[in-house]
């Protein structure tokens, strides 16, 4: 039965205190134990286990999605309705740096189409970096030397995005590209600019057309203005005070995705299905996935290595 493939309820409770205020879980089965679709009894037991964690840890919102290589077979939200939208509302949360994986996936699409090479200097696509030694692969692996010293603070003005790219181009690199690993939102935002240059589309539109819409991720977008205000998951501090959306910026290929657990599971399902022709459309081919998951460099996080994205 399905519960045997999941964490036991006691284990879930042990981990309850480590849950963030919002949590998206894509529980991916690697054995046939997880059926293609969940029975009513199985789904109810999953719901009960996760809701108990949410309640006991005082976590305002938990979103869970379960997927196989074939389909997303279960998705549920668990909310404190006193603080959050209605239990069944399709609310979108801030996916933060999960966004980078989607940005990297579209970059790999463009390479497979022959529109770029990861060995290309970024200046080939962004004139303000014409003299820069940074290559696209450096941006994907957090080894470019770019640092997060500035942000695109306005939301609706293209000139603010242009000014942000100009500031990045003026920045003195923290180290020679490829020399060492240093986490960088700026590098992924610059990759977003490259996507714009190659596709001729604003970044959010390019992501919708190339990834979100083909995967049926209809509740996801990189443009927060397209998400109705009553569908945005609220953020609260420890005292219960509601916070403004800190990601409400002009240009965030690095962290701007607004999404749901069910939509993220659709992306996960497609990655699991890569190379399996009978499982439908996938955003990248098997060779691109192998390239992305090859260890490139050690990170500052103990035991975690960096691939492409």
């Amino acid at each position: 039965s399905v519960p045997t493939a999941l964490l036991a309820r006691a284990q879930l409770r042990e981990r309850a205190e480590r849950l963030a205020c919002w949590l998206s879980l894509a529980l991916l089965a690697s054995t046939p134990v997880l059926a293609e679709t969940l029975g009513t009894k199985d789904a109810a037991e999953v719901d009960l286990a996760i809701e108990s964690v949410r309640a006991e840890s005082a976590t305002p919102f938990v979103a869970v999605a379960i997927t196989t290589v074939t389909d997303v077979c279960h998705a549920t939200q668990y909310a404190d309705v006193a603080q959050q939208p209605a239990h069944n509302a399709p609310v979108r949360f801030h996916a933060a740096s999960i966004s980078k994986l989607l940005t990297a996936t579209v970059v790999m699409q463009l390479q497979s189409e022959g529109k770029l090479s990861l060995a290309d200097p970024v200046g080939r696509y962004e004139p303000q970096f014409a003299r820069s030694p940074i290559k696209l692969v450096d941006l994907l692996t957090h080894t470019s030397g770019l640092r997060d010293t500035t942000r695109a603070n306005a939301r609706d003005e293209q000139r603010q995005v242009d000014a942000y790219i100009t500031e990045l181009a003026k920045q003195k690199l923290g180290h020679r590209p490829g020399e060492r690993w240093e986490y960088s939102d700026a590098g992924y935002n610059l990759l977003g600019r490259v996507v714009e240059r190659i596709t001729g589309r604003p970044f959010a539109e390019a992501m919708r057309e190339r990834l979100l819409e083909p995967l049926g991720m209809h509740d996801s977008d990189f443009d927060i203005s397209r998400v109705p205000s009553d569908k945005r998951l609220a953020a609260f501090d420890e005292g219960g005070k509601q916070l403004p959306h800190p990601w409400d910026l002009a240009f965030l290929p690095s962290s701007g995705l607004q999404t749901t657990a069910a939509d993220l599971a659709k992306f996960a399902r497609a990655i699991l299905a890569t190379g399996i022709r009978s499982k439908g459309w996938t955003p990248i081919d098997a060779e691109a996935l192998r390239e992305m998951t090859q260890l490139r460099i050690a990170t500052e996080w103990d035991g975690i290595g960096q691939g492409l994205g």
Side-chain angles (χ1 to χ4, degrees):
S1 67
V2 170
T4 62
L6 304 175
L7 291 172
R9 188 177 306 175
Q11 291 175 294
L12 286 169
R13 284 173 175 163
E14 286 179 10
R15 300 183 182 187
E17 291 184 358
R18 286 181 282 176
L19 285 172
C21 287
W22 319 276
L23 176 62
S24 170
L25 300 176
L27 305 177
L28 310 179
S30 59
T31 71
V33 173
L34 184 58
E36 292 299 307
T37 58
L38 289 179
T40 303
K41 180 180 178 181
D42 297 326
E45 188 160 346
V46 171
D47 287 342
L48 181 62
I50 301 301
E51 173 57 22
S52 69
V53 172
R54 192 209 64 75
E56 291 173 21
S57 63
T59 301
F61 185 90
V62 177
V64 175
I66 302 172
T67 186
T68 67
V69 70
T70 301
D71 196 12
V72 178
C73 51
H74 187 64
T76 314
Q77 298 174 165
Y78 311 83
D80 178 348
V81 295
Q83 289 188 320
Q84 301 295 352
H87 180 77
N88 60 352
V91 296
R92 279 72 142 177
F93 56 83
H94 175 215
S97 285
I98 291 175
S99 308
K100 292 181 175 66
L101 181 55
L102 279 72
T103 297
T105 297
V106 168
V107 170
M108 298 305 291
Q109 280 184 359
L110 293 171
Q111 175 174 253
S112 296
E113 295 169 10
K115 296 178 180 178
L116 61 78
S117 167
L118 301 189
D120 289 342
V122 69
R124 180 171 298 179
Y125 307 99
E126 175 47 59
Q128 296 190 76
F129 281 78
R131 297 184 179 182
S132 173
I134 298 173
K135 298 178 181 179
L136 298 183
V137 68
D138 301 323
L139 300 176
L140 286 165
T141 55
H142 296 281
T143 59
S144 67
L146 286 173
R147 293 176 171 173
D148 298 322
T149 57
T150 185
R151 303 279 182 178
N153 292 318
R155 176 161 61 84
D156 297 320
E157 299 179 11
Q158 182 61 40
R159 63 185 181 185
Q160 178 65 28
V161 178
D162 295 338
Y164 169 70
I165 298 297
T166 297
E167 288 300 312
L168 291 186
K170 293 178 180 178
Q171 186 183 124
K172 182 179 179 181
L173 299 181
H175 55 81
R176 290 194 300 273
E179 182 177 67
R180 61 186 178 87
W181 183 91
E182 185 176 8
Y183 198 84
S184 172
D185 285 346
Y188 272 78
N189 291 335
L190 184 53
L191 279 172
R193 180 69 156 206
V194 170
V195 169
E196 288 190 329
R197 294 294 193 190
I198 293 175
T199 64
R201 308 286 285 171
F203 177 77
E205 291 183 14
M207 295 301 287
R208 282 197 298 273
E209 293 167 3
R210 287 183 156 269
L211 197 62
L212 303 181
E213 291 178 358
L215 288 177
M217 296 174 66
H218 303 305
D219 290 326
S220 300
D221 211 293
F222 276 83
D223 181 356
I224 195 174
S225 68
R226 290 171 55 90
V227 179
S229 58
D230 63 342
K231 300 296 177 62
R232 302 177 191 178
L233 187 65
F236 296 86
D237 64 19
E238 292 180 352
K241 179 182 178 181
Q242 186 170 341
L243 302 174
H245 279 200
W247 54 88
D248 197 2
L249 304 177
F251 192 62
L252 281 178
S254 65
S255 60
L257 179 65
Q258 311 293 315
T259 190
T260 65
D263 271 9
L264 285 181
K266 292 176 183 178
F267 176 77
R269 186 218 60 80
I271 296 301
L272 287 173
T274 297
I276 306 175
R277 293 184 179 181
S278 63
K279 301 305 180 183
W281 185 85
T282 58
I284 53 176
D285 57 31
E287 178 57 35
L289 183 58
R290 281 193 292 270
E291 193 171 359
M292 291 182 78
T293 53
Q294 178 185 345
L295 178 63
R296 302 288 173 148
I297 192 170
T299 72
E300 295 173 357
W301 302 322
D302 188 34
I304 298 178
Q306 178 72 53
L308 301 176

